[in-house]
């Protein structure tokens, strides 16, 4: 259900990013010079998963929060009121750099009834925290600012059957000063998205079904 693209970028090409950090020209300066020539890459995933609930303790009041707490990639959540939740995502560590994504979600319960509950979880904001050598973290954070993510996951509980459906569309304007071939990011990123989001959605549905 969840993805922060710079994690995929760094996992694909961390060695090249390390090489780029040795350049004498500032990455932020290069970004401003080449903004109009940025390369666009785009990914889309829309998996589904379903399972039967063994013991149904889900209600319309707690459904959305249970969904977020059952998501394996989420370390912690905070209820901010007005159907808004913030979440800290599991850290991703690569050579020299540690990434901690922060996300904000809006949840909505759609037309609850006695035997059917539908909730949607929509990503409305994402931020990235990076720790490591300044040159490398600057590259990752600069790349993350070029990412546009549309992510909505719908969970429907009908009787004792739970179904999850995710829609994730990510676009990134890859700055030319980052020495990563567009094809490498397009192919590697799509494969990583398919694997991560399908696995995350399946695990969330299975966790809610216990």
């Amino acid at each position: 259900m969840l993805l922060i693209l710079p994690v995929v970028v760094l996992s694909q090409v961390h060695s090249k990013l390390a090489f780029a950090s040795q350049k004498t020209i500032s990455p932020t300066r290069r970004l401003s010079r080449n903004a109009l020539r940025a390369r666009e890459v785009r990914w889309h995933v829309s998996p589904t998963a379903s399972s039967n609930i063994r013991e149904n303790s889900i209600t319309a009041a707690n459904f959305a929060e249970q969904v977020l707490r059952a998501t394996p990639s989420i370390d912690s959540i905070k209820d901010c009121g007005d159907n808004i939740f913030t979440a800290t995502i599991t850290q991703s560590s690569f050579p020299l750099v540690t990434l901690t994504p922060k996300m904000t979600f809006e949840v909505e319960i759609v037309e609850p009834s006695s035997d059917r509950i539908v909730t949607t979880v929509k990503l409305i904001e994402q931020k990235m925290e990076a720790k490591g050598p300044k040159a490398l973290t600057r590259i990752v954070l600069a790349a993350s600012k070029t990412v546009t993510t549309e992510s909505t996951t719908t969970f429907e509980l009908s009787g004792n059957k739970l179904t999850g459906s995710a829609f994730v569309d990510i676009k990134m304007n890859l700055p030319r000063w980052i020495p990563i071939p567009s094809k490498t990011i397009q192919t590697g990123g799509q494969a990583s998205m398919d694997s991560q989001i399908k696995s995350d959605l399946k695990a969330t549905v299975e966790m809610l079904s216990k």
Side-chain angles (χ1 to χ4, degrees):
M1 183 176 70
L2 308 171
L3 179 77
I4 289 290
L5 183 60
V7 174
V8 177
V9 174
L10 192 57
S11 67
Q12 295 293 321
V13 293
H14 66 266
S15 61
K16 293 184 179 180
L17 288 177
F19 174 78
S21 70
Q22 299 173 5
K23 301 291 186 178
T24 56
I25 297 178
S26 165
T28 53
R29 187 183 304 173
R30 285 197 169 194
L31 178 61
S32 63
R33 288 177 180 178
N34 295 293
L36 295 178
R37 297 192 296 122
R39 300 158 291 164
E40 181 180 295
V41 287
R42 193 164 191 164
W43 304 264
H44 175 77
V45 180
S46 52
T48 61
S50 62
S51 180
N52 290 325
I53 297 287
R54 296 177 184 175
E55 183 177 348
N56 189 0
S57 61
I58 295 175
T59 66
N62 68 14
F63 195 8
E65 184 170 351
Q66 286 198 32
V67 165
L68 292 174
R69 292 193 182 281
T71 302
S73 59
I74 292 181
D75 278 346
S76 62
I77 66 170
K78 178 181 179 181
D79 186 347
C80 300
D82 296 326
N83 297 323
I84 301 296
F85 290 83
T86 57
T88 300
I89 312 303
T90 303
Q91 288 186 343
S92 298
S93 296
F94 303 98
L96 304 179
V97 176
T98 298
L99 307 177
T100 305
K102 307 280 187 176
M103 292 182 171
T104 302
F105 298 96
E106 181 179 23
V107 301
E108 180 182 4
I109 300 297
V110 183
E111 300 179 359
S113 63
S114 59
D115 62 348
R116 181 175 179 270
I117 308 173
V118 179
T119 187
T120 61
V121 180
K122 182 177 181 180
L123 176 67
I124 59 175
E125 185 180 24
Q126 58 182 359
K127 297 179 180 179
M128 175 73 70
E129 294 182 357
K131 294 182 179 180
K134 186 176 181 180
L136 280 177
T137 58
R138 186 189 305 167
I139 290 173
V140 175
L141 295 177
S144 72
K145 293 179 181 179
T146 74
V147 178
T148 302
T149 304
E150 182 180 354
S151 175
T152 301
T153 307
T154 301
F155 290 88
E156 178 179 351
L157 178 60
S158 182
N160 69 336
K161 184 177 181 180
L162 176 66
T163 301
S165 303
F167 172 92
V168 181
D169 189 82
I170 297 179
K171 180 175 68 174
M172 179 181 188
N173 292 316
L174 189 67
R176 290 187 178 275
W177 53 262
I178 295 182
I180 308 168
S182 298
K183 186 176 181 180
T184 298
I185 295 299
Q186 183 69 55
T187 303
Q190 185 65 54
S192 296
M193 277 188 63
D194 287 340
S195 175
Q196 179 181 343
I197 296 177
K198 288 178 181 178
S199 175
D200 224 22
L201 182 63
K202 181 181 179 182
T204 301
V205 169
E206 290 177 349
M207 182 65 69
L208 288 168
S209 300
K210 291 182 178 180

